[in-house]
Structures are given as structure tokens and as C-alpha cells.
Amino acid sequence: MSRTIGLIWAQTREGVIGYQNSIPWRVPEDLANFKDVTWGHPVVMGRRTWDSLPPRFRPLAGRRNIVVTRQTDWAAEGAERAAGVPEALARCAPDPVWIAGGSEIYRAAMDFATDLHVTEIATTVEGDAYAPPIGPEWTPDEPEPWRTSKTGLRFRVRHYTRGRTG
């Protein structure tokens, strides 16, 4: 059995994942899904993503928090610093690991990834951070049906696996 290196994010149809270091929508069901998927596993994120988390949620409970930053003197309680994605992944081996953003970290991790867990949000918003493109090497599972969040936004979760053969 191979190791899971998963990327997990929510995006609009246009691929927006963030604006001004925050998520530009509110879908609590997606946050619950993020927690369910990543619980008990190391989570790798960039320093700006770490900074965007409300202080009461740092570190993410029930998960080893690894923060990728070029700042050699960076430190935060409950987090481990890594200089890059390869170092962060090596620290977690052989355990499954989830990459939690942002866009630079997703792009750096895409070549290592085995799984993508993508929540599609049916909205159009201004954005300055975008999801990496999902190329032909990714095989999608059957999508979940669209659901409506208690906030009124429609969403669905898609799962992709790299190079799966049938």
C-alpha cells in the first residue's frame, strides 16, 4: 500500500481559494469536512496560511502542524518549521499527510501528491489566491451531489487520485 500525500482545498468554479489571506466565503460544512479528513494526520501549510488561522484554532487540534517558511527564525507554539515541502513530507514519512495551503504550497506539493480532496463552491468572488490546475494525470471519483450549506451556498466534494488504473 502506498503512502497518501493529499492536497485538500475549497475553490470556486474559477479556482479561487482565497482573497487577502482569508477564505472569501463561509461554508461550515466544508470546515467540518476538512477536520474529518485531516484528523489524526500531519498537516502541512505555508506560514501565511498558519497566520490566517484564528489564534484560537492554532495549532490545529488533533494533527501535527508543520509550517513551511523561508524564515529561518520562525517559531510558533504547537507548530514545526520546515524549509520546504520536501523537508515537511520527509518529516512525516511514512505516515499519510495532508497539504492545507496556500497556493504556493499546493503548487510545490502537486508533484508529490497521490490524492486531491477538493470542495467546489458555487459562487463567484474576488480572489488573489488560486488552486493549482488539475491535469489529465488525475482521475476523479464520481462527484458527490451538490448540497446547500446552512449559509445558502451550494457546494460539493470531489476526490481525485493520481494515475489510478482500472
PDB file of all heavy atoms in Angstrom, residues 55 67 89 93 117:
ATOM      1  N   PRO A  55      -6.372  32.674  15.965  1.00  0.00           N
ATOM      2  CA  PRO A  55      -5.472  32.214  17.030  1.00  0.00           C
ATOM      3  C   PRO A  55      -6.034  31.080  17.880  1.00  0.00           C
ATOM      4  O   PRO A  55      -5.302  30.189  18.283  1.00  0.00           O
ATOM      5  CB  PRO A  55      -5.216  33.473  17.853  1.00  0.00           C
ATOM      6  CG  PRO A  55      -5.366  34.583  16.864  1.00  0.00           C
ATOM      7  CD  PRO A  55      -6.472  34.131  15.927  1.00  0.00           C
ATOM      8  N   VAL A  67       4.705  23.872   9.405  1.00  0.00           N
ATOM      9  CA  VAL A  67       4.587  25.137   8.685  1.00  0.00           C
ATOM     10  C   VAL A  67       5.829  25.338   7.825  1.00  0.00           C
ATOM     11  O   VAL A  67       6.951  25.309   8.322  1.00  0.00           O
ATOM     12  CB  VAL A  67       4.396  26.309   9.670  1.00  0.00           C
ATOM     13  CG1 VAL A  67       4.332  27.640   8.918  1.00  0.00           C
ATOM     14  CG2 VAL A  67       3.125  26.093  10.495  1.00  0.00           C
ATOM     15  N   LEU A  89       7.470  16.793   4.035  1.00  0.00           N
ATOM     16  CA  LEU A  89       6.998  15.449   3.715  1.00  0.00           C
ATOM     17  C   LEU A  89       7.926  14.389   4.296  1.00  0.00           C
ATOM     18  O   LEU A  89       7.463  13.367   4.805  1.00  0.00           O
ATOM     19  CB  LEU A  89       6.868  15.273   2.203  1.00  0.00           C
ATOM     20  CG  LEU A  89       5.801  16.138   1.526  1.00  0.00           C
ATOM     21  CD1 LEU A  89       5.864  15.959   0.018  1.00  0.00           C
ATOM     22  CD2 LEU A  89       4.417  15.845   2.073  1.00  0.00           C
ATOM     23  N   ALA A  93       7.114  11.002   6.908  1.00  0.00           N
ATOM     24  CA  ALA A  93       7.162   9.644   6.331  1.00  0.00           C
ATOM     25  C   ALA A  93       7.231   8.611   7.445  1.00  0.00           C
ATOM     26  O   ALA A  93       7.889   8.841   8.453  1.00  0.00           O
ATOM     27  CB  ALA A  93       8.368   9.524   5.406  1.00  0.00           C
ATOM     28  N   HIS A 117      -8.462  16.354  -2.596  1.00  0.00           N
ATOM     29  CA  HIS A 117      -9.779  16.394  -1.944  1.00  0.00           C
ATOM     30  C   HIS A 117     -10.251  17.838  -2.102  1.00  0.00           C
ATOM     31  O   HIS A 117      -9.775  18.728  -1.382  1.00  0.00           O
ATOM     32  CB  HIS A 117      -9.620  16.003  -0.475  1.00  0.00           C
ATOM     33  CG  HIS A 117     -10.880  15.610   0.189  1.00  0.00           C
ATOM     34  ND1 HIS A 117     -11.360  14.322   0.168  1.00  0.00           N
ATOM     35  CD2 HIS A 117     -11.776  16.330   0.881  1.00  0.00           C
ATOM     36  CE1 HIS A 117     -12.495  14.264   0.843  1.00  0.00           C
ATOM     37  NE2 HIS A 117     -12.766  15.482   1.290  1.00  0.00           N
TER      38      HIS A 117
END
